[in-house]
Amino acid sequence: MTEIPDDVLCTLDHLWIRFGNGDRVRLGVTSTLLGLFGPVESLSLPDGGEEIVSGDSCGDMEFSGRTWEIIAPVAGEVVAVNPSIDADQVEADPW
């Protein structure tokens, strides 16, 4: 079983939320999701400045021929997206 860091909340659809400064949060996918679907082939994330709506799609991940849609667990403006994030980094340390 994967150990979940103490400072994150997890959603039922395998996303994590880490609260930051003020009203900012960080989002990511859990290691459980990665274990279920296998290696990540590609990753599509929203752009900085984009408004996302809770419950709407805000990106996707492709795993060995299947696509997993990232459904936003919160609403707000995307302040920044890690420009160097790639599928290998997500797999190596999803937290």
Side-chain angles (χ1 to χ4, degrees):
M1 180 159 163
T2 302
E3 194 164 322
I4 299 170
D6 291 338
D7 63 341
V8 301
L9 299 174
C10 294
T11 68
L12 293 175
D13 55 350
H14 303 291
L15 294 176
W16 58 258
I17 303 168
R18 178 176 284 136
F19 293 91
N21 297 331
D23 58 358
R24 291 187 180 184
V25 297
R26 288 183 181 207
L27 303 175
V29 297
T30 67
S31 55
T32 302
L33 177 82
L34 300 174
L36 289 171
F37 291 126
V40 178
E41 293 179 356
S42 69
L43 179 64
S44 172
L45 300 172
D47 294 322
E50 188 174 329
E51 288 288 329
I52 59 172
V53 176
S54 181
D56 283 359
S57 176
C58 64
D60 60 61
M61 299 176 75
E62 293 209 17
F63 302 88
S64 303
R66 70 190 323 180
T67 299
W68 184 78
E69 199 170 21
I70 301 170
I71 303 299
V74 295
E77 179 184 353
V78 176
V79 175
V81 175
N82 184 343
S84 64
I85 196 74
D86 63 21
D88 291 334
Q89 289 174 315
V90 170
E91 287 183 54
D93 184 12
W95 306 107

